[in-house]
Amino acid sequence: MVQANIGVVGLAVMGSNLARNFASREGNTVAVYNRTWAKTQTLVTDHPEAGFIASKTIEEFAASLAKPRTAIIMVKAGTPTDAVIDELVAVFEPGDIIVDGGNALFTDTIRREKAVRETGINFVGAGISGGEEGALKGPSIMPGGSDESWVTLGPILKSIAAVVDGEPCVTHVGHDGAGHFVKMIHNGIEYADMQLIAEAYDLIRRGTGKPPAEIADIFTEWNKGELESYLIEITAEVLKQVDAKTGTPLVDVILDEAGSKGTGVWTVQTALDLGVPVSGIAEAVFARALSSKPEQRAAAASLPGPDENAWKLADGSETSTDAFIEGVRLALYASKVIAYSQGFDAIVAGAEQYGWDIKKGDIARIWRGGCIIRARFLNRITDAYAENPGLVALVTAPFFVDVMERTQTAWRTVVADAAHAGIPTPAFSSSLAYYDGLRADRLPTSLVQGQRDFFGAHTYKRVDREGTFHTLWSGDRSEIEATDSH
Ligand code: 6PG
């Protein structure tokens, strides 16, 4: 009997497409299983070319897999994942491999890996990016799990991943939850990138009065240069789309309340725990939250705003349209660099906290193709980490220093103009504030330390002497060396 080298459990769109992708690659035979048989039947009937081995029961599914059995779960993250893991553990044997390809929370993956490992079965949390089309044609894959499982899984995943410059967009990210952690950060950066693009669109629309179709052309043009990326490309497509029912641009009939499935929130929650400022990502998450408060927005709609000549107020003159658009492009590029820099900081901090050996250059490499944040400048990130693996902040790499040199004046003008005009640019502005905070010689946090010491005797350190100090604020205001009681 022919046995499959890979199985897929969960045959909704992502699972089906991934199964078809596996089947389309030389050397793979694919077993498929779904909770309801009807869905399996549809897939098998619609795609006879795939030669799927279909099973009605989980026992048959296990029997259809060659050892070590390797199955990838593509179900909704959360309890459905736990249920399928339990089913598979019951029919798999030590040495077999269970892969969760959903957007699981990395701490769940750590927990699951630990529990499954006790049975001798390998559990791998693998982040998969690229949406439905990526799953079918070549996603970017971020697997965690054991070295042992990577030996079997590596070639299978390499066979379906996107390929850039001859290299498949997959690497063994690190142990247990490392893959899902990196996928989570990927999504956080995705949120920031999308928000930044949306802000750029809003600035151009409100600043120049151009209609969406013309702004689409601007994005298409930008996509030929250093901003080239999947998200810029699809932005042009969305802006070009005309609503068939009303004949107006689709973007004008889509309700402006953005939803989310959780990965952006997780990124920010995790970054808060790790003490890493991911302000661009956080602003993107908050921007979606603000957009989804219709009652508050309606109540606030009549609040005072700037006067009509706001665009002229920033520097006393009206900027030419072309110069303004170019300024927005530069501000977008600068802010985008900050979003990635912050994302990589979170990866570094996560790796340290959870003991993962994550190669930052490899992460940038596997994000060059297949995934939602694929972009031309990811090559530059790979180069930056190759040149200096110990780089403390991506934005300080020579290439990005040059970018900042080139963009920062325009960036400041755009943020100032936006503030004058009353156009919200939370991600542009917070990225600039972060940049200025990072490069500041002195920060006013010395005052914060003074305040903390005043009301709570929280103590402070001095720039000129070793030790910890406290000022006797309610006494004679002399300074004492702090003791344990302070
Ligand atoms: C990807 C996407 C994918 C999904 C997000 C969207 O990498 O392919 O990130 O995982 O589209 O879950 O997230 P929101 O619904 O939260 O925007």
Side-chain angles (χ1 to χ4, degrees), residues 14 103 128-132 142 183 186-187 190-191 194 259-264 288 370-373:
M14 286 294 285
N103 267 334
I128 300 180
S129 177
E132 294 171 11
M142 295 147 253
K183 175 62 184 12
H186 164 284
N187 280 29
E190 171 185 306
Y191 272 57
M194 291 166 74
S260 71
K261 289 193 206 73
T263 47
R288 291 194 193 186
C371 66
I372 304 295
I373 64 169

Side-chain angles (χ1 to χ4, degrees), residues 214-230:
E214 275 181 46
I215 304 176
D217 293 341
I218 295 170
F219 279 99
T220 302
E221 205 48 42
W222 288 2
N223 203 37
K224 293 179 188 151
E226 59 197 1
L227 278 180
E228 182 191 325
S229 63
Y230 172 71

